[in-house]
Amino acid sequence: MNEVTRTARAGGRGARRAMRSAPDFEMLPALKRGIPECEVMDQSRVEQIDNASMSILEEVGVIFRDEIALADWKRAGAKVEGERVYLDRGLVRELISTIPSDWTYRARNPEKSLPFGGKHSIFVPMTGAPFLRDLDDVRRWPTIADLNMFHKLSHMSPALHSTAHHIVEPMDMKVSHRHLHITYSSMKHSDKTFMGMTTSGKNAEDVMAMCEILFGKDVMEETPVTTGNCNGNSPLVWDETMLSAMRAFVKRRQPVLCSPFVLGGANTPASVAPAVAQLNAEALSALAYTQVIRKGAPAIYGHYLSTVSMKSGAPMAGTPEISLMNFMIGQMARYYNVPWRTSNLLGGAKTFDAQAGYESAMTMNAVLHAGANYIWHSAGWNEAGMHCSVAKFVVDAEMCQMGYRMAEGPRWDDFDEAMAAVRDVGPGGHYLGHPHTLENFERAFFMPKLFDNNSIEQWQAEGSVEITQRALDRARQLLADYEEPKLDEGVNEALLDYIARREREIPAVDELNTEH
């Protein structure tokens, strides 16, 4: 936190003026939500979902396609038949009770460390896009330079608290080596927190080793420095790839998102409440396993939610059922007292068009009112995640600022001053020149940089520039203003040495590394 920001947060008129003159890419603190959660279930319905999920775990079971996990579950007292594990609800409740309800994420820059859990939420960009729409709005394969660019944009976006990891897939690098360069890009181009690759157990071990170089083993024992994601194969399957990566993270006390991958109506029942019951069972089985690996390790109730078009089979975003499921999952996570993850600003549009905006806004509103903690896929997502759009990325980042402001709730610190202004102005007057207005107009109402609210005459006089072009111009300006937060020279050298060594040890092939 710079001195201007520190002074501004202390309060006062002069401080607020200083805040307005500070760089607009200063990272916002973790969002502390000041609005109530939307709860669509009463307690009896919460307990009904819980009971249904526990019955699934006890009577249907969950497949763990991993010999180590099966042995771990046997030692923990679960019933194991082949690859199917049957989990007693008492065992599940005992295990998940040891998951911390909150913690602090340590960033490379300690002033960008983040309280997490409870009322605190963070926004994280999208990941995993095999294509991008670039600075010329051309859809193409991404390169490592494109990934670097997105990490720089993440660094300069105030409401993005993380650089994620492979926002786009660097297709110019061998698959077996990508995770090393993705991790280095996250570490080099920003000093915010980031995500760690979990594409295989070996890859996850490399991420942990690089985090030890950056932060130190002792720091990682004390507090999380990164986040992994482990996707389940719905219905009711966890595979070796994800479970081996989970073990690598959890053994070092680094949290993973335990994320069933839900395509509602395809791999869950075609009904909201039963789909949530299945998802809840899947998430609980993985959350419980984190505590078998290491008791007391942090973990996050995760999911990826989509509904499936019964016409085409394609995944859909922004549908009302997804909002309802988010509300319900938020209630279940709070019932178990664990932090939870959701997906934000999703859409299926092929370009940055009205559909993209409507779907994204629908999703964000539900996510914020559902009370999610780890708000992933918060910038860039389009075409059902098949591409990351530069234009949408910067607009989404501003949308996160607007969502942040809404979810903070009303401010009361200038209430007496404003009420005094009512007496000063009186009936029939106006507030435009009043000292309170002049002091507070920038702070009182969010003023988007990328949305045009001028008259049509002024818009036409300025070139009739639509939002996609405004966003691309904004991205170019951000990149021109970017200043790299330099890594310590010794740390940087150690990271590059590690990458070079591992590239010698891992064959350069277009396959995930699972052996070396």
Side-chain angles (χ1 to χ4, degrees):
M1 187 186 301
N2 63 32
E3 191 58 39
V4 170
T5 308
R6 187 180 294 109
T7 302
R9 289 181 187 163
R13 291 183 177 180
R16 291 198 291 271
R17 279 194 294 271
M19 189 67 168
R20 290 198 294 269
S21 67
D24 65 0
F25 49 81
E26 186 79 19
M27 191 183 88
L28 293 168
L31 168 62
K32 187 173 183 181
R33 303 186 312 281
I35 57 176
E37 290 86 7
C38 179
E39 300 197 334
V40 296
M41 299 185 290
D42 62 22
Q43 187 64 20
S44 68
R45 293 300 190 194
V46 170
E47 292 172 0
Q48 183 177 356
I49 294 290
D50 171 69
N51 183 61
S53 300
M54 294 298 181
S55 295
I56 290 170
L57 295 176
E58 290 176 332
E59 299 165 16
V60 180
V62 179
I63 289 178
F64 283 77
R65 290 182 178 145
D66 177 74
E67 291 299 326
I68 296 174
L70 293 171
D72 288 341
W73 275 123
K74 287 179 182 177
R75 283 193 296 272
K79 177 183 175 184
V80 178
E81 294 183 355
E83 293 183 331
R84 192 173 298 205
V85 179
Y86 298 87
L87 296 173
D88 175 79
R89 66 186 66 200
L91 176 61
V92 172
R93 294 193 199 286
E94 178 185 348
L95 287 169
I96 64 173
S97 71
T98 60
I99 297 173
S101 60
D102 56 73
W103 56 80
T104 296
Y105 274 111
R106 170 70 179 270
R108 170 155 76 89
N109 177 354
E111 293 184 348
K112 294 181 180 177
S113 295
L114 298 160
F116 178 79
K119 286 290 186 180
H120 286 105
S121 303
I122 63 174
F123 292 104
V124 182
M126 78 160 292
T127 67
F131 296 92
L132 86 155
R133 279 192 173 270
D134 63 18
L135 287 162
D136 296 314
D137 202 29
V138 174
R139 187 181 186 275
R140 61 172 173 81
W141 294 110
T143 65
I144 190 66
D146 295 316
L147 178 62
N148 298 161
M149 172 190 67
F150 280 117
H151 284 157
K152 293 173 184 178
L153 291 173
S154 301
H155 179 70
M156 300 185 75
S157 300
L160 297 183
H161 297 105
S162 167
T163 56
H165 43 35
H166 65 316
I167 294 173
V168 291
E169 283 281 351
M171 298 295 190
D172 55 340
M173 313 201 76
K174 292 294 184 183
V175 173
S176 59
H177 292 168
R178 280 182 194 170
H179 66 289
L180 299 167
H181 297 275
I182 291 166
T183 304
Y184 180 68
S185 181
S186 298
M187 293 175 167
K188 174 181 172 64
H189 297 296
S190 178
D191 55 8
K192 298 180 179 181
T193 190
F194 55 89
M195 296 185 75
M197 299 292 290
T198 52
T199 41
S200 75
K202 293 292 186 181
N203 289 357
E205 292 284 355
D206 282 331
V207 173
M208 292 295 96
M210 293 176 73
C211 286
E212 285 187 11
I213 292 170
L214 182 60
F215 294 101
K217 189 173 183 177
D218 291 344
V219 170
M220 294 173 68
E221 279 292 309
E222 294 168 2
T223 190
V225 301
T226 189
T227 311
N229 178 58
C230 294
N231 282 124
N233 299 324
S234 298
L236 300 165
V237 176
W238 293 92
D239 65 31
E240 181 180 3
T241 300
M242 291 289 93
L243 294 169
S244 60
M246 181 186 290
R247 285 191 291 271
F249 272 65
V250 173
K251 285 177 180 177
R252 291 166 177 80
R253 290 186 55 80
Q254 301 304 303
V256 291
L257 314 173
C258 299
S259 302
F261 195 91
V262 169
L263 300 170
N267 60 11
T268 73
S271 179
V272 166
V276 170
Q278 178 191 301
L279 180 158
N280 190 56
E282 293 166 335
L284 289 173
S285 67
L287 288 166
Y289 184 55
T290 66
Q291 302 308 290
V292 173
I293 298 167
R294 184 167 180 180
K295 185 177 180 179
I300 300 171
Y301 184 133
H303 66 78
Y304 172 81
L305 285 181
S306 181
T307 52
V308 170
S309 169
M310 295 295 117
K311 293 180 181 179
S312 66
M316 299 185 294
T319 62
E321 291 78 17
I322 292 174
S323 296
L324 290 171
M325 286 192 276
N326 266 311
F327 297 144
M328 296 169 74
I329 292 162
Q331 286 189 257
M332 298 313 299
R334 289 188 289 277
Y335 180 70
Y336 302 121
N337 198 30
V338 293
W340 70 287
R341 161 254 162 142
T342 191
S343 300
N344 190 25
L345 291 169
L346 302 184
K350 311 308 174 281
T351 62
F352 184 32
D353 60 6
Q355 178 183 334
Y358 284 128
E359 288 174 332
S360 295
M362 180 81 170
T363 306
M364 170 176 270
N365 251 297
V367 162
L368 292 174
H369 285 95
N373 301 109
Y374 199 94
I375 306 177
W376 196 8
H377 302 314
S378 284
W381 181 286
N382 222 11
E383 195 189 339
M386 287 298 292
H387 81 250
C388 182
S389 161
V390 173
K392 190 171 186 290
F393 192 98
V394 295
V395 175
D396 284 351
E398 185 166 271
M399 282 287 292
C400 288
Q401 285 183 264
M402 288 192 275
Y404 184 107
R405 175 65 199 96
M406 181 195 74
E408 282 182 307
R411 294 171 177 150
W412 295 88
D413 57 330
D414 66 334
F415 186 81
D416 292 340
E417 293 175 358
M419 294 311 298
V422 175
R423 290 171 172 79
D424 292 343
V425 172
H430 70 79
Y431 293 82
L432 293 176
H434 191 277
H436 177 266
T437 303
L438 297 175
E439 182 61 39
N440 287 279
F441 75 96
E442 287 185 287
R443 176 178 178 267
F445 307 112
F446 189 93
M447 291 187 288
K449 294 181 176 64
L450 292 169
F451 295 170
D452 190 293
N453 293 291
N454 295 324
S455 68
I456 189 169
E457 291 82 8
Q458 184 173 349
W459 177 72
Q460 289 170 336
E462 293 174 353
S464 304
V465 181
E466 295 194 356
I467 191 165
T468 297
Q469 189 58 53
R470 289 198 301 274
L472 294 173
D473 292 343
R474 172 66 172 166
R476 289 189 180 94
Q477 185 60 56
L478 285 170
L479 294 168
D481 292 341
Y482 171 77
E483 295 181 10
E484 183 180 318
K486 295 290 186 182
L487 280 164
D488 173 85
E489 288 186 14
V491 169
N492 189 53
E493 184 177 343
L495 287 169
L496 293 174
D497 286 347
Y498 182 85
I499 291 170
R501 175 171 66 83
R502 290 297 285 144
E503 285 189 320
R504 291 192 299 270
E505 295 170 348
I506 303 170
V509 294
D510 283 327
E511 298 176 7
L512 289 174
N513 175 44
T514 59
E515 298 179 8
H516 300 276

